[in-house]
Amino acid sequence: MTAAVIDGKAFAATLRGHVGELARAFETKAGRKAGLAVVLVGEDPASQVYVRSKGKSTLEAGMASFEHKLPVETSEADLLAVVEQLNADPAVDGILVQLPLPSHMDEQKVIATISPDKDVDGFHVINAGRLAVGLPGFVPCTPLGCIMLLKDRLGSLSGLNAVVIGRSNIVGKPMAQLLLSESCTVTIAHSRTKDLPDVVRRADIVVAAVGRAEMVKGDWIKPGATVIDVGINRVPGAEPGKTKLVGDVDYAGAAQVAGAITPVPGGVGPMTIAVLLRNALVAAHRNAGLELAADAI
Ligand code: GUN
């Protein structure tokens, strides 16, 4: 059997188009554009690529984009002052501080300074808590994108065995919460999990978010399972000096067994920015006191 390929790139393009339509309607109703601010500290190349791509997508969706690029030696106090200024700015609906931050900064302190109503990353403890108790709030973009792909593929997830590999605050933990809220039976596996292949073999849904290239092998996958690969790992390519991107799953092996699988690139990756724009649009409606139907996006 060869798995169906879950086309996250196409799904994300449709979602971005939909967000764009709603952003135009928002502008008409609110008399201003929805606004998303991105703060980047330092010059990490991968972060610079993400931030440029976020700015471009924000403009394409008809939203205002505010970029703050700060030098790596910026003090934590100065960064917190920028965040406070964005909290107070009525043109800014969503604030994203690109992670990781330089080592002299306390990430949790910076995240805690972002207004929970503008925390489109869903990283603030208020939003993590809302997710945990089932209240409306902002949900981290990558796991929400994974849930959208899963529901598009499978319809109801109720009663399915889901294994999340990875326990980060950005992906693993919120992913597990979201799967639980869809009535899955959820296991969170991680680097200390015993007999990981056997744990994964029980899963109808596998979400791999460990950051280790091709760690999940084809013979760990239950036949027909749905595999969501969150990993983006750069490894040496076929030609000397060239690199390529691979996920946390051995794609060639898993695609022989799975029912459906996300490729890398072109699977989960493009969903993150599309969901970020969605979250920013939701924030804009809330901040402007405008209704947005719960099922609008
Ligand atoms: N770094 C890698 N992914 C993310 C993300 O989704 N949000 C932020 N703020 N930083 C990141």
Side-chain angles (χ1 to χ4, degrees):
M1 189 171 74
T2 303
V5 179
I6 299 174
D7 189 346
K9 195 174 169 194
F11 192 101
T14 304
L15 178 57
R16 279 191 282 123
H18 195 35
V19 169
E21 283 169 30
L22 292 167
R24 275 189 291 280
F26 174 85
E27 188 176 354
T28 308
K29 281 185 272 185
R32 66 172 181 87
K33 285 184 193 286
L36 174 61
V38 176
V39 183
L40 172 64
V41 186
E43 295 181 357
D44 175 65
S47 292
Q48 283 179 323
V49 172
Y50 288 140
V51 166
R52 208 173 307 128
S53 174
K54 280 172 195 156
K56 188 165 162 274
S57 305
T58 304
L59 296 176
E60 277 170 12
M63 298 187 192
S65 172
F66 306 93
E67 279 184 22
H68 292 259
K69 293 187 180 158
L70 309 176
V72 69
E73 64 273 11
T74 301
S75 70
E76 187 184 86
D78 284 349
L79 173 60
L80 295 179
V82 169
V83 172
E84 297 280 16
Q85 179 203 322
L86 295 171
N87 282 343
D89 186 343
V92 172
D93 295 295
I95 303 169
L96 179 148
V97 178
Q98 183 68 30
L99 303 181
L101 287 168
S103 57
H104 65 278
M105 292 185 179
D106 177 347
E107 274 183 6
Q108 283 306 324
K109 194 169 166 189
V110 175
I111 291 167
T113 305
I114 299 171
S115 163
D117 295 331
K118 296 191 177 187
D119 171 37
V120 284
D121 260 329
F123 293 167
H124 194 290
V125 287
I126 293 276
N127 284 312
R130 285 172 178 155
L131 177 60
V133 298
L135 286 172
F138 291 110
V139 175
C141 304
T142 302
L144 185 52
C146 294
I147 282 285
M148 287 178 179
L149 294 178
L150 282 167
K151 289 174 79 169
D152 183 59
R153 171 79 203 163
L154 297 171
S156 169
L157 311 183
S158 180
L160 297 179
N161 281 332
V163 171
V164 179
I165 315 172
R167 53 176 156 176
S168 70
N169 291 337
I170 296 184
V171 182
K173 285 184 212 166
M175 189 74 228
Q177 294 284 3
L178 286 168
L179 289 162
L180 187 59
S181 69
E182 296 295 332
S183 302
C184 290
T185 303
V186 183
T187 303
I188 307 178
H190 46 77
S191 55
R192 303 285 176 88
T193 297
K194 284 188 187 154
D195 305 322
L196 181 59
D198 285 335
V199 172
V200 175
R201 270 183 208 114
R202 290 199 290 269
D204 303 303
I205 294 170
V206 181
V207 180
V210 261
R212 287 182 57 186
E214 301 178 320
M215 188 187 92
V216 177
K217 303 300 178 201
D219 66 0
W220 300 14
I221 304 295
K222 176 175 165 177
T226 306
V227 178
I228 304 290
D229 191 350
V230 181
I232 301 177
N233 309 288
R234 197 165 277 287
V235 297
E239 293 169 47
K242 292 263 171 71
T243 61
K244 61 172 181 169
L245 292 180
V246 297
D248 291 348
V249 178
D250 168 19
Y251 184 87
Q256 302 288 315
V257 192
I261 185 166
T262 57
V264 177
V268 173
M271 291 298 290
T272 301
I273 289 180
V275 175
L276 173 69
L277 299 174
R278 178 236 177 242
N279 283 357
L281 188 73
V282 171
H285 281 79
R286 286 193 197 147
N287 295 340
L290 289 169
E291 287 283 324
L292 183 66
D295 59 353
I297 31 175

